[in-house]
Amino acid sequence: MVVLPSHLSEKDEEEEAELAADISENNLGSLWDDEDTKAFYQSFPDLIATIPSILYKESKDEAEAEQKKKREDEESKKKAASSSNTTTNSAANTNLQEEEEDIQLDDEDVQEVNLDEEEDQENVNFSNKMAFEAFLAQLPTCVNREMIDNASAEFCLTFNTKNNRRKLVKSLFTVHRTRTDLLPFYSRLCAILAPLMPDVPDQLCAMLKQDFRWQVRKKDQINIESKLKVCRFIGEMVKFNLFPKSDALFCLKQLLFDFTHHHIEMACTLVESCGTFLYRTPDTHRRIKIYIEQMIRKKSALSFDAKYSTMIENAYYLVIPTEAQQDNKIERPPKHQFIRKLLYSDLNKSNVERILRLIRKFDWEDAELSAYLLKCIKNVWNVKYYNIRYLASLLAGLMHYHPWVGSNITDDILEDIRLGMEVNNPKFNQRRTSMIKFLGELYNYRIVDSSLIFKVLYSLITFGVVLDHNASVHTLDPPDHMLRLRLVCVLLDTCGQYFTSGTRKKKLDYFLIYLQRYYWLKRSHPMYSDEAKFPLGMTNLYLETISSLRPKLKMYADFEEACIAVQKAENEFIEVLKQKGYVTDAAAAGQDNEARAHRGRSEGLNTIKEDAEEYSQSQQSADNQSQNDNRSRHASGFGTQEEDGHQRVHWEEDEERDEAELGPQHDQYQEDDNGETVIEEGEENLLVPSAPVNVHCEEDDEFLAALDKMVNDSITESRNLVRDKSSVANLTVPPGTKPAKKTYEQLQWEEKGGEEGSREDEGKVQVTVMLRKGGGGGGKIIKNINVSAESGLGEQFIAREEREARERANLKKLTLEISERQEEEELAEAISNLQRVSVVHMRKGFKPQKGAPDADLIFG
């Protein structure tokens, strides 16, 4: 028969190239995940070098003889198969497929593994038998590599007999179905004993194969744990190269043929135990990949329970993980990396000064580098939350050398806070929280003032907020968004503890009223009709914040009560402004009506100015009001040319200051080419009359000069006075002021005129005043005067007398109680003395002499 040369088409070449690329090491990856796993499955103790050959020679020879016999049988089968009639190349190409189909449809009866086989009759010592049973009983406790290695060496040294090997295989095979953690160690024991006793792994593999076929053919829905144990044991033996890989793939194919119920769990268990090993092995990669893809196709085509679908997906992605998309990492310059490391990784409480020195060493004249430094400081959300305060400390130290840094950082922070309120994207919540925390820390380090903090606080609860529940759904602050309330609490927790005095305390008191209205606006929304639906964490955070700042603050019970309190506070402000002349009654009424009509769009009251700003701001307000008044008079045709010229000069002087502080409001009024103010139609009524303008004149200078002279003279006189401080400190009431005993005539006169005097002196208090004669401190004048009881001095005098009377009453009561207690104690002591019985111990047999003793007889 002529053998024709094989001809490969281009398609075949492409398939071979694709197959070669699939099984390359770069695509398959490492066979083991780490070095420890590799050492467990491939590094074994060399028992041949440590154990004498006399102990394993017999078992090794028997195993070699059996293997030689098996090889001869296989060769004879191959010769018989080669001599069979194979006439066509197509039959040869499909030979493997036919064999697999024959195996798949094999209906040969399989019996359960028989574990009660008769043992060979050997002369076994009873003590050795007991020792071997103790060895087998100790095997389940070998749960690490060292223990299982010692057990294998002990078996070779002590128990290496044919019957013991058969018992060992039986013990390994009958491991409890729930002790799947022992299967890797038992497989390692077989792998260690394989060079010396090849029959141990061979017998175990044969028993596993037979039990697997019996479990598959049985097709019952019980004993699932035993089935999973067999599959997992086969997978562990495959990874030790003890169980043939082709047989393992055949087992998986048998399960895929009837892919239902328990067979699904068995297939998934087999793939999870050895699927990764077979997938990364070149000779089994292609085949295991086909079987796993077939599992996925069957899952998609058939209707499985969710449990089985999840198991199949887990097994598939465990063997063939999805290719993770590699993010393109930004390659930063070394200086930028060093800056980010200092600020985001190394910064903590102990090294702030060291990092500040390193930051100062950078070239701040370089515009690009300085801009990147500011950018890293501004991106505070990259810093750990508890390290934000240290970043603020770093910025405060940096401002001593570069003052312009603070204003730039503050502007960026305020812009980011405003942008967060406008965008309102939940993915920026952590960023917004960090920025608010950083702003509070900047106030703590005196980089920003309290007016800026309160402006941010008011903007958080007013910007885009609508007080109407029906119209608040499609606004910048929906009812279900609680982040603004959290931001307010974070800012108050950070720096609110320092608002305890002065105008800052008043500002915080008024703000807490508006905060309660905002909280009840959220709480009273119809979507939170059930109190359980409102976030409990927000309620606790809100209450904790207010209780930490103002423990005795009045808490409002509902939204209406909070609105009434806000309206009351605003009316108080309007009354104060009216008293100062900044707001007239008509303007206040118009503003009140407008506030009521547009309550939903109101942005709240402006913040109260600091103490240092009050004078300048009030002066500026008066100037602005005068400008508005002049502009209104000029627009209506009133006012002289001199007043207009003066107003124009004053406007030019303060133009820059007004632009800086009024911002966009300054553009509402424009000037024409002649410098005259032009007011748009409809804005005439918006101008508020101002207070009288202070006009400088010569009389003011004379008055100030006279006032300074008078103050200086009084100071000089007070310095010239010689005062004896010790005499003032030791001053006592003179005896003449004490009331003396009255005569009979005085008493009669008081009885007659007492009734008339009592009517006249009713509601008055008599006070004794001591006057000093001259400045030398020589003589003293005592004078009695009557003071109204309703005056401050009278009230203090009456209160002092009442207090002294109470003290005298308390002292009298204590004295009486002490006297009574002393009398009771003395009476009790006397009674106890009367009841006491004295006992005299007499010597036995002693009789005292009668009469007086004889002194001469005693003293001789």
Side-chain angles (χ1 to χ4, degrees), residues 658-683:
D658 292 340
E659 285 183 357
E661 296 184 357
L662 296 177
Q665 298 177 358
H666 173 66
D667 297 333
Q668 294 178 357
Y669 306 103
Q670 300 178 355
E671 294 181 357
D672 56 7
D673 298 337
N674 298 327
E676 297 178 350
T677 304
V678 179
I679 303 176
E680 297 179 1
E681 295 183 359
E683 296 185 356

Side-chain angles (χ1 to χ4, degrees), residues 339-374:
I339 292 172
R340 295 177 68 87
K341 177 180 179 296
L342 290 178
L343 298 179
Y344 300 155
S345 300
D346 299 344
L347 182 64
N348 54 46
K349 182 179 180 180
S350 60
N351 59 5
V352 176
E353 295 182 358
R354 182 180 66 84
I355 292 179
L356 176 60
R357 290 194 295 268
L358 293 176
I359 294 295
R360 287 176 52 202
K361 292 180 180 179
F362 285 99
D363 185 11
W364 285 89
E365 300 298 331
D366 186 359
E368 182 180 356
L369 185 59
S370 60
Y372 189 79
L373 280 166
L374 295 182

Side-chain angles (χ1 to χ4, degrees), residues 192-259:
I192 295 173
L193 298 178
L196 307 180
M197 310 163 201
D199 55 337
V200 173
D202 293 343
Q203 293 178 12
L204 182 58
C205 290
M207 296 173 69
L208 290 173
K209 189 185 303 183
Q210 183 180 355
D211 189 61
F212 177 83
R213 293 181 65 189
W214 182 76
Q215 296 284 3
V216 171
R217 296 291 178 84
K218 190 170 54 170
K219 293 184 179 181
D220 58 356
Q221 302 302 319
I222 60 175
N223 300 331
I224 181 62
E225 293 180 349
S226 300
K227 297 177 182 179
L228 298 182
K229 182 200 73 172
V230 173
C231 294
R232 193 170 296 277
F233 211 156
I234 291 175
E236 294 297 334
M237 297 290 285
V238 168
K239 287 192 282 187
F240 282 100
N241 292 321
L242 300 177
F243 197 90
K245 300 173 187 176
S246 58
D247 293 345
L249 292 172
F250 166 75
C251 294
L252 180 59
K253 185 178 180 181
Q254 290 291 322
L255 295 173
L256 291 175
F257 178 72
D258 185 13
F259 201 56

Side-chain angles (χ1 to χ4, degrees), residues 285-481:
H285 169 77
R286 189 72 174 176
R287 202 168 170 189
I288 188 65
K289 184 178 180 181
I290 293 172
Y291 291 158
I292 294 176
E293 291 176 352
Q294 186 178 356
M295 289 173 58
I296 292 295
R297 287 196 300 270
K298 288 195 173 187
K299 182 188 79 70
S300 302
L302 303 177
S303 178
F304 289 132
D305 189 17
K307 169 188 172 183
Y308 293 138
S309 299
T310 304
M311 293 177 64
I312 294 171
E313 291 179 357
N314 291 341
Y316 177 81
Y317 290 113
L318 179 65
V319 178
I320 309 176
T322 56
E323 295 181 0
Q325 296 180 356
Q326 297 181 355
D327 297 334
N328 295 328
K329 295 184 179 180
I330 302 175
E331 292 294 337
R332 296 186 176 90
K335 288 184 179 179
H336 293 184
Q337 296 180 12
F338 183 63
I339 292 172
R340 295 177 68 87
K341 177 180 179 296
L342 290 178
L343 298 179
Y344 300 155
S345 300
D346 299 344
L347 182 64
N348 54 46
K349 182 179 180 180
S350 60
N351 59 5
V352 176
E353 295 182 358
R354 182 180 66 84
I355 292 179
L356 176 60
R357 290 194 295 268
L358 293 176
I359 294 295
R360 287 176 52 202
K361 292 180 180 179
F362 285 99
D363 185 11
W364 285 89
E365 300 298 331
D366 186 359
E368 182 180 356
L369 185 59
S370 60
Y372 189 79
L373 280 166
L374 295 182
K375 177 184 176 182
C376 291
I377 295 175
K378 181 182 73 71
N379 296 344
V380 69
W381 56 87
N382 293 326
V383 184
K384 295 179 180 178
Y385 188 76
Y386 51 84
N387 286 338
I388 292 179
R389 63 179 63 182
Y390 309 129
L391 186 61
S393 175
L394 178 69
L395 180 60
L398 192 62
M399 286 181 60
H400 290 289
Y401 308 95
H402 305 283
W404 55 273
V405 173
S407 59
N408 290 354
I409 295 295
T410 304
D411 291 343
D412 293 338
I413 291 174
L414 296 178
E415 183 179 357
D416 193 273
I417 293 174
R418 182 60 176 263
L419 182 63
M421 291 190 291
E422 293 177 355
V423 175
N424 199 21
N425 194 336
K427 74 176 183 179
F428 296 128
N429 288 355
Q430 187 63 39
R431 172 175 176 171
R432 296 172 64 183
T433 306
S434 301
M435 297 301 284
I436 286 291
K437 174 73 173 178
F438 190 44
L439 180 63
E441 294 295 343
L442 293 184
Y443 175 80
N444 295 343
Y445 285 96
R446 299 183 179 181
I447 299 177
V448 298
D449 57 357
S450 63
S451 61
L452 181 62
I453 297 296
F454 281 101
K455 287 179 182 178
V456 174
L457 287 172
Y458 277 107
S459 65
L460 288 174
I461 63 175
T462 57
F463 179 74
V465 177
V466 178
L467 300 182
D468 186 6
H469 292 307
N470 297 327
S472 62
V473 179
H474 302 289
T475 59
L476 295 178
D477 186 32
D480 57 338
H481 284 205

Side-chain angles (χ1 to χ4, degrees), residues 1-4 81-93:
M1 181 178 178
V2 179
V3 179
L4 298 177
S82 61
S83 61
S84 62
N85 297 327
T86 56
T87 56
T88 59
N89 293 331
S90 60
N93 293 334

Side-chain angles (χ1 to χ4, degrees), residues 822-834:
Q822 289 179 352
E823 292 177 359
E824 292 177 357
E825 291 177 356
E826 292 176 357
L827 179 61
E829 185 178 359
I831 294 174
S832 62
N833 291 334
L834 293 175

Side-chain angles (χ1 to χ4, degrees), residues 573-627:
F573 280 121
I574 293 174
E575 290 296 331
V576 173
L577 294 177
K578 285 172 23 179
Q579 291 177 3
K580 293 184 178 181
Y582 295 140
V583 179
T584 61
D585 295 338
Q591 291 177 1
D592 191 9
N593 295 333
E594 184 179 358
R596 292 178 180 176
H598 303 281
R599 183 182 300 274
R601 293 173 292 178
S602 176
E603 294 187 359
L605 295 177
N606 294 329
T607 56
I608 305 173
K609 302 300 181 182
E610 293 283 353
D611 293 337
E613 298 175 336
E614 286 183 353
Y615 177 76
S616 61
Q617 294 295 334
S618 61
Q619 227 17 58
Q620 178 184 351
S621 176
D623 296 342
N624 292 338
Q625 297 295 340
S626 64
Q627 294 167 11

